[in-house]
Amino acid sequence: MTTTSESEPKILSWTIGGMDCASCAATIRGAVERLPGVSDVKLSVMSETMTLGLDETQTQRVAIEKRVASLGYTTRALAPKAAPAGTPATESPGDYCGCGHDHKHDHGAKGHDHGQAGHDHGGHARGTATAANGPQAADAGHGMPGHVHEDTPEGMSWYQTNKGRLVLLTGACLGAAWASSLVWTAVSHWAFIAACLIGIVPVARKAFAAARAGMPFTIEMLMTIAATGALFIGAAEEAALVVFLFAVGEVLEGVAADRARASIRALGDLVPKTAIVEENGTTRTIDAAALAIGQIVLVRPGDRIPADGEITDGVSGIDESPVTGESVPKTKGVGEPVFAGSVNSEAALRVRVTKAAHDNTISRIIRLVEEAQEARAPTERFIDRFSRIYMPAIVALAVLVAVVPPMLLSGEWAVWTYRALALLLIGCPCALVISVPAAIAASLSTGARQGLLMKGGVVIEAAAKTSVVAFDKTGTLTQGRPRVTEIVAFGRSDREVVELAASVETGSSHPLAEAIVARAMAHAIPVRNATQAQAIAGQGVTGTLDGVAVFVGAPRHALSRATFDDKAKAAVEQLETAGKTVAAVIADGVLVGLIAMRDEPRDDAAQGIAELKALGIRSLMLTGDNARTGAAIAGSLGMEHKAELMPHEKVAAIKALSSETGVMMVGDGINDAPALAAAGIGVAMGSGTDVALETADAAILKSRVRDVAAMVRLARATMSNIRVNIAIALGLKAVFLVTTVFGYTGLWVAILADTGATVIVTANALRLLRFNAGKSA
């Protein structure tokens, strides 16, 4: 627990046992926020944690724990954790000079940006911000104050929990009461009363605690009123059965919620508990959670890598499926990054730790999924608002049913009171309130396991409505590893052309610049840093080498710097028509050569676009590359395209589309920040990188184009599941409300219908845990 100063609130954290859904979190938030000195309450349903600011001069932390405990939840204080390391500032590699992209150069101690003016390097950071807001307090339904919850430690069976023991006890009492009714009728009535009281006392205690906290309309309060009223009108048998069925529903609900959480917890179990550390030539085994940045760990063949790091010695095949979902091992060597939980499949490796345990990639995935559950879908927010009106309305209707017929229509008080009590039970909105968050939780878990990270219900709902997907070209539709295919020299040798170009491109992290430098190194061409290197916004890069002024940029921008004869123009047209990116090299105002590069489309790009088309979704490629190259690549993939776009023009194109329909923008998560932010959903492609996880609304960890369609399929399946859940919840309520008022439905049928609807809705939502998003229809 930390504090920044004596006058500021302390930041405290607890594990909250039994917080099964978003409504549970809303309950706790609503009760805790009412205490003086409490601020910034944040709850994570998936991790069952609560964090808040507390001024202990107004309220002691023990008061927080007592308030939560009074609502039926358990608490355990957590020690403060180190804040996750922020994503390092990453310069945008962009596309190629003059083609709507940026370069980052570092010539000696001096760095300069090479590319488009106004390009945003900050990244798209909308994704996780919503988690801090969390759901607003709801005053109705499942999880409301008094809703009995508890911790279920790993490995503990349902019957070992307090709720499980209550079910067994009330069930035994109910069975004994029925047995006694067969042999001793006079005693059986009191046996049913005893069975009812044993079950209802803990429920009533929580109901009154909730009322004292300012939230009287809870399912526990309805249960207490209904059971007590049934006893007073002589329906002890039904009262006992109602209490027993309610307890059974509570147990089933907890089991279902824990199953959804277990799918995410399983990710954390992939990281080994111990690590072999090398120090001063000797090895020792330590707790993997205690690894420090900079330590060297030995990873034997067959072992799981204990931390995110960088290989310092060895070459081996790495199975990264726990992180990316990609089962094909990748061969990696010295200097290449590896992820915690990945399997070293071939040879011993030495890995330098680059991230602490709480900040490794799997931990970040788990944390983002947990936080995503606080970003509620619009449908869920509407249901919460509806429930706050619905519960008082049901109570008012029950009062009218109990009072109006006897007073105005000469009805029997006992009959209409019984029907009013049944109406209270049937009116419980548990199934309705849980219908959305249960499906969202299952969908997020399924997506994370399949390499599809979506940050909350808002993103899922928007993805389901997507009708246009816009793609960046370089590194998204293409492999992002271009190579020089041809050099056309004019008056100089090929080596001289490459040497001049490499001098101004050295130090750049852009794939096309790296391709030129790689060509120079592969042919033993000296690579020297040009002096006075600088970017010409939106055109290219210039510098001076051995007194020669050098410019490298797209041909359309080079035309103003040098004369292109017919031969040069024909060469440019021929190369660009073939789908190649062309860089013109000018020395002292004279065109000395053309360098053609080709970035091949990803292997699954065409199939991915075809799958989107099968879903009724248009695909559009946005690129700063020349029109002929853009047309060639887009044509080979069967998609529309817009070429020669500056970064601000990409944003304008996205905004124009967004005004008409739902748009998803897919980029590399770095250089496409403005366009990602402008789209309805920004999706970053990246194999578990910090940027891919943090910068967009969603991330595709496998870097496969096909997974864009998979994400849409999962989102649509989730929304379809939610619609079915809402129909089940409202449909059953409507039917049984009518039958209850007309006397066809008794108390036990009412609670059975309510519990049954909750179980059906939860079970239907859990079907999403088995959904295969990668399987096209």
Side-chain angles (χ1 to χ4, degrees):
M1 301 174 188
T2 60
T3 178
T4 55
S5 75
E6 290 298 324
S7 61
E8 292 183 3
K10 293 181 179 178
I11 305 302
L12 307 177
S13 297
W14 290 267
T15 292
I16 307 297
M19 188 163 56
D20 294 336
C21 70
S23 292
C24 300
T27 296
I28 297 170
R29 178 180 292 105
V32 171
E33 282 180 337
R34 286 174 164 81
L35 295 173
V38 174
S39 61
D40 197 22
V41 181
K42 301 176 184 177
L43 294 110
S44 171
V45 175
M46 193 68 84
S47 62
E48 294 183 289
T49 58
M50 174 176 70
T51 301
L52 53 79
L54 180 64
D55 181 353
E56 292 195 86
T57 63
Q58 300 184 57
T59 298
Q60 295 295 310
R61 67 188 70 183
V62 67
I64 303 290
E65 295 169 355
K66 286 182 178 178
R67 174 59 63 89
V68 175
S70 72
L71 301 177
Y73 302 86
T74 62
T75 61
R76 180 169 57 86
L78 295 176
K81 294 183 180 180
T87 303
T90 306
E91 290 294 341
S92 165
D95 250 18
Y96 192 67
C97 49
C99 301
H101 303 73
D102 292 350
H103 291 219
K104 169 72 171 67
H105 295 261
D106 183 9
H107 296 276
K110 178 181 178 182
H112 65 279
D113 289 332
H114 171 201
Q116 304 308 321
H119 196 83
D120 181 359
H121 297 280
H124 176 208
R126 295 187 299 161
T128 58
T130 54
N133 299 329
Q136 299 302 313
D139 295 328
H142 163 81
M144 292 315 298
H147 206 64
V148 186
H149 292 282
E150 65 178 279
D151 230 346
T152 306
E154 190 171 346
M156 180 181 285
S157 300
W158 67 268
Y159 54 82
Q160 295 175 298
T161 66
N162 288 337
K163 287 191 291 184
R165 286 192 289 267
L166 181 62
V167 166
L168 295 177
L169 179 59
T170 53
C173 291
L174 189 61
W178 269 329
S180 68
S181 67
L182 300 177
V183 296
W184 198 356
T185 307
V187 174
S188 64
H189 176 72
W190 294 104
F192 281 118
I193 291 176
C196 177
L197 291 177
I198 289 172
I200 200 62
V201 166
V203 176
R205 187 167 60 246
K206 307 307 186 280
F208 289 120
R212 287 193 299 272
M215 286 168 282
F217 297 110
T218 66
I219 177 58
E220 283 73 27
M221 185 61 77
L222 298 188
M223 276 296 308
T224 301
I225 294 172
T228 304
L231 291 178
F232 274 104
I233 63 175
E237 182 176 348
E238 289 187 87
L241 180 59
V242 163
V243 171
F244 172 70
L245 291 174
F246 176 76
V248 170
E250 288 283 281
V251 169
L252 292 176
E253 181 184 281
V255 170
D258 192 63
R259 181 180 171 188
R261 277 193 293 265
S263 64
I264 282 297
R265 288 200 300 262
L267 275 178
D269 293 338
L270 294 173
V271 180
K273 306 301 181 190
T274 61
I276 302 173
V277 177
E278 275 197 349
E279 293 176 334
N280 301 320
T282 61
T283 62
R284 62 188 178 97
T285 301
I286 68 170
D287 187 343
L291 285 172
I293 295 174
Q295 286 186 303
I296 302 296
V297 295
L298 174 65
V299 186
R300 300 167 300 190
D303 285 354
R304 291 188 181 273
I305 297 171
D308 281 13
E310 182 180 283
I311 298 174
T312 61
D313 180 50
V315 176
S316 181
I318 307 296
D319 176 8
E320 297 180 342
S321 57
V323 176
T324 67
E326 189 62 66
S327 59
V328 179
K330 295 181 179 179
T331 300
K332 293 193 172 185
V334 175
E336 295 190 87
V338 291
F339 305 120
S342 302
V343 179
N344 177 21
S345 59
E346 295 173 2
L349 295 173
R350 286 172 176 79
V351 176
R352 177 186 295 109
V353 178
T354 58
K355 289 183 182 174
H358 69 269
D359 201 30
N360 67 43
T361 302
I362 286 184
S363 294
R364 293 163 76 90
I365 291 174
I366 294 172
R367 185 164 61 249
L368 288 170
V369 172
E370 291 169 351
E371 292 173 348
Q373 304 218 16
E374 304 301 327
R376 302 183 301 163
T379 302
E380 184 178 353
R381 290 196 295 269
F382 169 76
I383 288 176
D384 279 352
R385 291 194 300 269
F386 173 75
S387 295
R388 287 197 290 270
I389 301 171
Y390 173 84
M391 278 288 277
I394 286 294
V395 173
L397 179 61
V399 171
L400 291 175
V401 168
V403 173
V404 172
M407 293 186 66
L408 301 182
L409 304 174
S410 302
E412 295 184 25
W413 281 98
V415 170
W416 288 101
T417 299
Y418 180 89
R419 293 180 183 180
L421 295 176
L423 183 64
L424 284 178
L425 296 181
I426 205 67
C428 170
C430 287
L432 180 63
V433 172
I434 202 175
S435 60
V436 178
I440 294 295
S443 179
L444 292 172
S445 300
T446 296
R449 292 199 317 272
Q450 298 181 30
L452 308 172
L453 211 60
M454 290 183 284
K455 298 181 179 178
V458 176
V459 176
I460 291 174
E461 193 159 332
K465 297 176 181 177
T466 296
S467 58
V468 176
V469 177
F471 291 89
D472 176 50
K473 178 177 73 69
T474 303
T476 302
L477 288 170
T478 63
Q479 296 174 358
R481 296 188 298 272
R483 60 184 182 86
V484 175
T485 59
E486 294 175 62
I487 298 170
V488 180
F490 302 106
R492 299 220 184 186
S493 68
D494 290 358
R495 292 178 62 87
E496 289 177 307
V497 172
V498 173
E499 182 178 5
L500 289 170
S503 70
V504 294
E505 298 290 10
T506 183
S508 171
S509 61
H510 185 272
L512 297 176
E514 289 177 346
I516 293 175
V517 175
R519 173 64 176 236
M521 296 177 68
H523 290 76
I525 299 172
V527 179
R528 296 175 290 158
N529 287 348
T531 59
Q532 301 177 340
Q534 62 178 340
I536 306 298
Q539 297 186 27
V541 64
T542 64
T544 302
L545 183 66
D546 296 334
V548 176
V550 181
F551 170 84
V552 179
R556 66 179 184 274
H557 296 300
L559 285 170
S560 62
R561 296 173 174 270
T563 300
F564 281 56
D565 58 22
D566 292 340
K567 180 180 178 182
K569 291 178 181 178
V572 170
E573 182 176 355
Q574 179 183 1
L575 293 170
E576 289 182 345
T577 303
K580 298 174 182 178
T581 299
V582 179
V585 182
I586 296 174
D588 285 337
V590 177
L591 177 66
V592 297
L594 303 172
I595 299 178
M597 290 161 282
R598 171 82 177 188
D599 187 10
E600 296 296 332
R602 293 179 183 271
D603 294 338
D604 71 326
Q607 184 178 359
I609 301 303
E611 290 184 14
L612 285 172
K613 186 176 182 180
L615 292 172
I617 296 174
R618 290 171 52 204
S619 297
L620 172 66
M621 182 179 77
L622 302 178
T623 179
D625 215 332
N626 66 82
R628 283 188 288 261
T629 298
I633 293 177
S636 67
L637 299 177
M639 63 190 304
E640 304 171 37
H641 76 283
K642 291 180 182 292
E644 299 185 4
L645 297 177
M646 304 287 276
H648 68 276
E649 292 174 326
K650 287 186 181 181
V651 173
I654 291 293
K655 287 182 176 179
L657 288 170
S658 298
S659 66
E660 303 171 0
T661 186
V663 178
M664 176 187 291
M665 173 68 192
V666 185
D668 61 11
I670 305 172
N671 64 306
D672 300 303
L676 289 172
I681 307 175
V683 180
M685 293 186 72
S687 299
T689 63
D690 290 347
V691 172
L693 293 177
E694 302 287 356
T695 57
D697 300 310
I700 295 175
L701 303 184
K702 299 179 187 178
S703 292
R704 297 194 318 195
V705 179
R706 285 190 61 199
D707 281 353
V708 177
M711 182 174 288
V712 174
R713 278 193 291 269
L714 177 58
R716 289 183 176 180
T718 303
M719 296 310 298
S720 175
N721 187 284
I722 288 172
R723 285 190 289 271
V724 170
N725 280 349
I726 293 174
I728 291 173
L730 291 179
L732 286 175
K733 296 297 177 193
V735 170
F736 283 100
L737 281 173
V738 172
T739 58
T740 297
V741 171
F742 286 98
Y744 298 110
T745 302
L747 286 176
W748 71 272
V749 175
I751 192 63
L752 188 62
D754 175 67
T755 301
T758 302
V759 171
I760 291 171
V761 164
T762 304
N764 185 51
L766 292 179
R767 289 174 52 242
L768 289 169
L769 291 174
R770 299 191 301 271
F771 185 79
N772 182 2
K775 185 177 181 181
S776 58

